[in-house]
């Protein structure tokens, strides 16, 4: 209990302030399954991300994490409730948003530089300028020697860096990331997390970062959302008051970090077990 | 214990790597030569058996011709021309019909495939008609086209078009449908308009499907043109075959067949070149070897 006030303060859901970057207000989303039934993916979901805040979302597999991000982009519409981005209801895909996908979403027929320049080119930036910026971003993610390579000629970690550069070049005010590092090895992942925090503090964007990995969430976030097993809803919210700037390689051994992770894990564990037993029952 | 100085060690390793590379290259060259040699040997044995069989009455050259007979026929066509005029004119006429039919059918098929692939409603509405049209034996349409369009080029081109269209359409449609959802969503969020998504995501990702169908459908276009000429024409390789058939000239039929095969192979080679150029981003298969 003492700890919760110290570092991992459990928050009570409050009404979203008008200037929040992202406000998901009491949203329920149902999918029509191929056999014509309705399937609730998320229900009564409320979440607020302030400007410049780094929010992480953890929850068992299939609980609706990706669905939540898609609500913010406008690729999915809520069945009930509403979603606001920068104070405005989501009606179309906002230019303020950047999205790093769970799956590899680079264009395999474009070289690294063409992939990174895609955003500005789509948005009508003159070619020369778009490529200048692309070169700049490729250098910043450490791939200057690989501009002309095609995605299949890169390693998984390098492809993720290209995806980051591709997203960051648009300088999104809102950054959505769907388990971006889950396929990477430990060392690469730690390096990428540091890189991400660096870029985030520079752009001052608001982030929603979805992950399976609770430790990753605690290490990165200002705020951690724990979701229930599907249909997903917010189980609890924790504020993480670890000091910044954080160094990923070291923070894992910080006693305060370990305590926080333990508290949240106790909360999450039930849901993971519930999700697993349900998955087994339905044969997924 | 003796210490090996790292420098000499490294130098030795470098030379051994170079030597291994040279050996690997030599092995590849030898294998390549072996493959070509075996191919030639098979061809020679096949032709020799055929020729000997024809000479000794095992194979009746009246029905099955013989390599020397075919060669004489081709040579006489080249030097003296065919009964319908010079050989090159026949080839030219057939190729022209084939290319026109191929181009129109392919462009139409790609366009229709992309439009229906991008529009669910149109796809649902038209799919039934396309199924019906596709189930009509297309060679029968040749007769319809000759009645409607006459003995000239138009009827052959039309037949080649229908032969090509459905194959290319089906592949383009499938290719569009298979375009990766995540990739499309990525382009949308990066700021692409629907038109930009079609040109920069849908078409490139359908490209390997489309190119695969172009390989097959060029052969179909050639079949369409030749069958069209067969059914009724004033010029062309198909007419040459049907004339030879009417005169029980097996040499003529085989000779025309071989000329058509060479034409198809040459164009196939050009399409492969084009394909390699267009999809140079594709990873090479792990067992890539010279063929
Ligand atoms: N297009 C769709 N049609 C029908 N059901 C869907 C669709 N997309 C997702 N779902 C369902 O919604 C639920 C939530 O899916 P979602 O992808 O959001 O899970 P997730 O939390 O991201 O899981 P993971 O951690 O494995 O990525 C799942 O049960 C899934 O089957
Ligand atoms: Mg997901």
């Amino acid at each position: 209990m003492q700890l919760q006030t110290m570092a991992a303060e459990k928050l009570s859901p409050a009404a979203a302030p008008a200037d929040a970057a992202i406000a998901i207000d009491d949203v329920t989303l149902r999918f029509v399954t191929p056999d014509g039934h309705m399937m609730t993916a998320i229900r009564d979901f409320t979440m607020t991300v302030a400007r410049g805040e780094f929010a992480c979302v953890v929850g068992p597999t299939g609980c609706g994490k990706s669905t939540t991000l898609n609500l913010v982009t406008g690729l999915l519409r809520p069945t009930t409730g509403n979603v606001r981005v920068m104070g405005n209801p989501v009606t179309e895909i906002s230019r303020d948003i950047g999205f790093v996908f769970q799956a590899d979403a680079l264009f395999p027929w474009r070289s690294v530089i063409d992939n990174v320049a895609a955003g500005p080119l789509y948005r009508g930036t003159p070619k020369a300028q778009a490529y200048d910026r692309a070169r700049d971003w490729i250098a910043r993610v450490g791939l200057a020697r690989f501009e002309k390579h095609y995605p299949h000629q890169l390693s998984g970690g390098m492809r993720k860096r290209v995806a980051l550069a591709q997203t960051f070049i648009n300088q999104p005010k809102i950054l959505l990331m769907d388990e971006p590092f889950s396929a990477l090895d430990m060392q690469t992942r730690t390096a990428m997390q540091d890189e991400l925090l660096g870029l985030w503090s520079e752009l001052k964007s608001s982030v929603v970062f979805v992950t399976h990995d609770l430790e990753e969430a605690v290490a990165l976030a200002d705020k951690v959302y724990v979701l229930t097993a599907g249909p997903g809803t917010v189980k609890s919210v924790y504020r993480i008051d670890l000091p910044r700037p954080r160094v990923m390689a070291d923070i894992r051994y910080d006693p305060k970090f370990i305590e926080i992770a333990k508290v949240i894990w106790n909360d999450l564990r039930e849901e993971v077990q519930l999700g697993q037993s349900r998955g087994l029952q339905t044969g997924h | 214990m003796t210490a090996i100085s790292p420098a000499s060690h490294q130098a030795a390793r470098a030379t051994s790597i170079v030597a291994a590379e040279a050996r690997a290259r030599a092995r590849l060259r030898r294998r390549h030569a072996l493959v070509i040699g075996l191919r030639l040997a098979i061809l020679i044995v096949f032709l020799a058996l055929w020729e000997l069989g024809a000479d000794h009455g095992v194979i009746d050259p009246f029905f099955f011709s013989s390599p020397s007979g075919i060669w004489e026929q081709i040579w006489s066509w080249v030097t003296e021309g065919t009964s319908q005029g010079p050989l090159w004119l026949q080839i030219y006429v057939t190729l022209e019909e084939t290319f026109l039919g191929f181009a129109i059918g392919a462009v139409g098929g790609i366009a229709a495939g992309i439009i229906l692939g991008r529009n669910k409603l149109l796809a649902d509405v038209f799919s039934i008609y396309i199924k019906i049209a596709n189930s009509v034996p297309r060679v029968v349409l040749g007769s319809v086209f000759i009645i409607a369009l006459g003995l000239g080029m138009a009827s052959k081109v039309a037949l080649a078009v229908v032969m090509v269209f459905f194959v290319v359409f089906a592949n383009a449609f499938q290719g569009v449908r298979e375009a990766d959802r995540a990739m499309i969503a990525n382009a949308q969020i990066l700021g692409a308009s629907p038109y930009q998504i079609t040109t920069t995501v849908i078409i490139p990702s359908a490209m390997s499907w489309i190119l695969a169908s172009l390989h097959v459908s060029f052969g179909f276009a050639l079949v369409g043109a030749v069958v069209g000429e067969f059914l009724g024409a004033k010029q062309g390789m198909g007419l040459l075959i049907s004339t030879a058939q009417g005169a029980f000239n097996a040499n003529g039929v085989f000779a025309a067949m071989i000329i058509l095969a060479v034409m198809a192979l040459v164009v196939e080679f050009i399409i492969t070149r084009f394909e390699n150029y267009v999809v140079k981003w594709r990873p090479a298969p792990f067992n890539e070897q010279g063929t």
Side-chain angles (χ1 to χ4, degrees), chain A residues 73 75 93-94 97-99 101 103-110 118-119 121-123 150 152 166-167 170, chain B residues 180-193 196-197 200-202 204-205 280-284:
Chain A
T73 62
L75 289 170
I93 294 172
S94 160
I97 287 180
F99 199 130
F101 285 81
D104 207 353
L106 294 178
F107 309 114
W109 49 82
R110 288 179 165 217
L121 289 177
Y122 283 146
R123 291 169 183 217
Y150 285 95
H152 75 265
Q166 189 184 48
T167 299
N170 279 335
Chain B
D180 189 46
R181 303 259 134 243
M183 221 184 285
I184 296 172
N186 192 16
Q188 265 175 305
I189 289 169
L190 289 174
S193 64
Q196 285 172 324
I197 287 177
T200 65
V201 183
I202 303 287
S205 64
K280 59 180 184 297
W281 54 269
R282 233 180 1 203

Side-chain angles (χ1 to χ4, degrees), chain A residues 65-67 102 178-179 210:
Chain A
K65 303 185 293 295
S66 300
T67 305
Q102 188 168 6
D178 195 350
E179 303 188 26
V210 165

Side-chain angles (χ1 to χ4, degrees), chain A residues 180-207:
Chain A
F181 306 145
S182 57
L184 302 181
D185 65 280
M186 198 63 181
Q187 288 82 4
T188 315
R189 188 196 302 203
T190 312
M192 301 286 284
Q193 288 164 342
D194 279 323
E195 232 162 273
L196 170 63
L197 286 185
L199 294 172
W200 165 67
S201 60
E202 211 174 293
L203 286 181
K204 309 222 177 335
S205 39
S206 320
V207 183

Side-chain angles (χ1 to χ4, degrees), chain B residues 55-213:
Chain B
D55 277 355
H56 293 85
V58 183
I59 300 169
D60 189 343
F62 182 75
F63 297 120
F64 298 111
S65 186
S66 68
S68 59
I70 295 170
W71 175 246
E72 270 160 33
Q73 178 70 79
I74 294 179
W75 187 244
S76 94
W77 277 347
V78 170
T79 52
E80 294 152 35
T82 70
S83 55
Q84 312 147 207
L87 178 65
W88 64 263
L89 183 63
Q90 313 308 314
I91 295 179
Y92 175 78
V93 165
T94 302
L95 271 184
E96 189 176 7
E97 292 159 357
T98 306
F99 270 113
L100 268 178
F102 177 67
I104 297 171
V107 169
I110 293 170
I114 289 169
I115 291 167
L116 293 205
R118 287 289 272 157
N119 189 322
K120 188 90 173 56
L121 177 67
L122 285 182
D124 287 345
V125 171
F126 280 102
S127 60
I128 180 82
Y129 293 110
I130 285 173
K131 268 205 192 93
I132 293 171
N134 194 23
S135 63
V136 172
R138 283 187 278 286
V139 175
V140 177
L141 286 175
S143 302
V144 177
F145 289 143
I146 289 192
I147 294 169
L149 302 172
L151 292 182
M153 177 170 285
S155 55
K156 285 79 192 171
V157 173
L159 188 56
V161 168
V162 293
M163 298 288 285
V164 170
F165 175 84
F166 289 99
V167 181
V168 176
F169 166 79
N171 269 47
F173 182 75
Q174 189 66 19
V176 170
R177 282 302 176 86
E178 303 258 307
D180 189 46
R181 303 259 134 243
M183 221 184 285
I184 296 172
N186 192 16
Q188 265 175 305
I189 289 169
L190 289 174
S193 64
Y195 174 75
Q196 285 172 324
I197 287 177
T198 303
T199 53
T200 65
V201 183
I202 303 287
I203 292 179
S205 64
M207 198 45 102
S208 30
W209 284 82
I210 292 171
L211 287 170
S213 74

